[in-house]
Amino acid sequence: MATKFKSAHVGKDSNLMEEIEKLPENLKDFWRKSQFYHFLRAYIHILSDPPNLTAIKRRADYTQAIIQILPFLSELGKSSDWKVHRLIRMCYELCDELQYAYAHRPTELLQSLAQSLAQSLARSCNKYVFNILCTEKIKLVSYRYIDPYQFITWCLNFSCVPDVLRNAIDEQTLDILKFLKLPGVYFIYYVGETKLYEGSQVSPSTYNPVYVGQSKNNIGDRLRDHYNKIDAAKNLHLTDFVVRFMILNNEFQPPTIEKMLIEHFCPVWNSESEVGFSFGNANIRTNPWNKFHIQEDGPTIVTMLEKLRIAG
């Protein structure tokens, strides 16, 4: 079964070339043939059939083999097929269960294996989330006119969760109304052909967002609101923007994660930036973003462009 990927280079990471040779023969064969769905199924089979905990030598060799495969999961995070992400999550869950079983055994070797597995698992998960969050994107499209089936597929193919060990991308997401009422955080990227602001350093990018936002209860409403604001701007084009989002467990997570992401990326449209556009509150006529992009107020444009120049 062939698996769809956004990048033609998926599976070609040069850092994995030497690691491929260390894989079991069947996994090596699946990877080289780009049969990534079969690759994940085979890995799940290995994880589901561990040796007895008392067979220490076999357990150590088995764990090392498990760890060697983990970097390949994050590489497959570039897939646009939500079924692949569900398999990846299953792999992470099984690894987490294995690590938990080791950690609660009194032997020194199993404790050591638990620590090694936990560290490798964390590295793989972090890179997996990075691949999803920072390199993939979707069009900021109209919710009002899109075909419902296409919209559901849109949600499934591009949504993700930060805690890949305990949150699912599964059939429940097919309920579009439930999906739209979930909490989450999101990035908006500018991908136009020129710099967003003349004389500034705000260049097209699918890595550095122009805005980071969150909703504690309904991410769909927030994205719809942002769509309308960009659509109302006289000097912006909707086709120059893409959005990336992830769904979270509860209402307490989004503000904290949003704050961390804002501190890391310093997006130009967030109020916390040196420029202070405050896109999130741009429905207010006195808001700088509103005056710059919707009203095209001359003095505001001069002031904000100067701030952008100073901010570099």
Side-chain angles (χ1 to χ4, degrees):
M1 175 180 177
T3 300
K4 298 178 293 181
F5 284 80
K6 285 186 163 306
S7 170
H9 302 292
V10 69
K12 308 299 182 183
D13 188 338
S14 59
N15 294 325
L16 294 178
M17 292 305 166
E18 292 185 7
E19 300 303 316
I20 293 174
E21 298 303 320
K22 302 175 185 178
L23 292 173
E25 287 302 319
N26 62 332
L27 291 181
K28 188 188 304 183
D29 188 52
F30 288 144
W31 190 268
R32 285 175 171 167
K33 293 179 179 178
S34 298
Q35 295 176 338
F36 302 122
Y37 192 85
H38 292 309
F39 179 93
L40 291 169
R41 284 290 187 188
Y43 188 36
I44 289 172
H45 178 74
I46 294 172
L47 289 166
S48 302
D49 188 29
N52 192 291
L53 282 173
T54 58
I56 300 299
K57 179 63 169 64
R58 288 181 58 208
R59 178 63 68 161
D61 293 341
Y62 169 81
T63 305
Q64 184 58 36
I66 293 299
I67 289 174
Q68 287 176 344
I69 300 171
L70 281 172
F72 293 86
L73 297 189
S74 46
E75 172 70 6
L76 296 183
K78 300 171 185 176
S79 171
S80 64
D81 188 340
W82 70 276
K83 294 179 182 178
V84 168
H85 289 279
R86 186 166 63 176
L87 288 180
I88 292 173
R89 185 185 65 84
M90 289 173 63
C91 292
Y92 281 135
E93 283 183 335
L94 289 169
C95 287
D96 190 43
E97 291 174 6
L98 184 64
Q99 185 273 331
Y100 183 86
Y102 287 175
H104 288 77
R105 288 281 175 164
T107 68
E108 184 176 339
L109 177 59
L110 288 178
Q111 292 283 328
S112 176
L113 291 176
Q115 184 176 9
S116 297
L117 182 55
Q119 291 174 348
S120 299
L121 187 57
R123 282 194 294 268
S124 180
C125 286
N126 286 340
K127 189 172 181 181
Y128 169 74
V129 172
F130 176 86
N131 279 339
I132 293 177
L133 190 61
C134 297
T135 62
E136 305 296 339
K137 69 268 187 195
I138 51 180
K139 289 291 181 183
L140 193 60
V141 297
S142 170
Y143 292 84
R144 293 167 291 184
Y145 303 113
I146 193 167
D147 177 78
Y149 176 77
Q150 290 180 338
F151 183 73
I152 293 170
T153 304
W154 179 75
C155 295
L156 287 173
N157 283 353
F158 299 96
S159 63
C160 68
V161 290
D163 183 357
V164 293
L165 300 181
R166 294 177 177 83
N167 294 276
I169 305 172
D170 55 26
E171 285 84 0
Q172 291 182 359
T173 316
L174 286 170
D175 185 343
I176 188 171
L177 295 177
K178 181 176 181 180
F179 175 84
L180 289 177
K181 294 180 181 178
L182 289 174
V185 298
Y186 52 89
F187 289 167
I188 293 178
Y189 301 94
Y190 170 69
V191 293
E193 295 182 357
T194 61
K195 289 184 177 180
L196 182 55
Y197 300 105
E198 184 180 352
S200 76
Q201 298 301 313
V202 186
S203 301
S205 174
T206 55
Y207 176 76
N208 292 308
V210 293
Y211 185 74
V212 172
Q214 60 88 16
S215 173
K216 293 193 288 185
N217 50 38
N218 195 330
I219 191 174
D221 275 356
R222 290 293 290 165
L223 291 176
R224 188 183 297 110
D225 175 65
H226 295 332
Y227 170 90
N228 291 334
K229 284 184 290 193
I230 295 175
D231 192 33
K234 296 177 181 177
N235 45 23
L236 297 176
H237 302 284
L238 277 168
T239 53
D240 288 339
F241 295 88
V242 294
V243 63
R244 190 77 199 110
F245 62 89
M246 62 180 174
I247 303 307
L248 300 170
N249 264 348
N250 57 59
E251 63 181 291
F252 305 107
Q253 293 176 337
T256 302
I257 294 177
E258 179 199 39
K259 185 175 185 297
M260 293 168 59
L261 293 172
I262 290 173
E263 289 178 354
H264 179 73
F265 288 103
C266 300
V268 67
W269 281 3
N270 283 89
S271 59
E272 293 86 349
S273 74
E274 295 180 36
V275 181
F277 267 118
S278 194
F279 176 65
N281 300 317
N283 290 320
I284 303 171
R285 286 188 59 82
T286 55
N287 171 276
W289 192 96
N290 187 302
K291 294 176 73 173
F292 189 106
H293 288 292
I294 296 179
Q295 301 176 51
E296 292 190 311
D297 178 70
T300 300
I301 291 175
V302 172
T303 299
M304 300 308 284
L305 287 178
E306 178 63 16
K307 287 185 177 182
L308 285 161
R309 186 189 65 78
I310 294 173

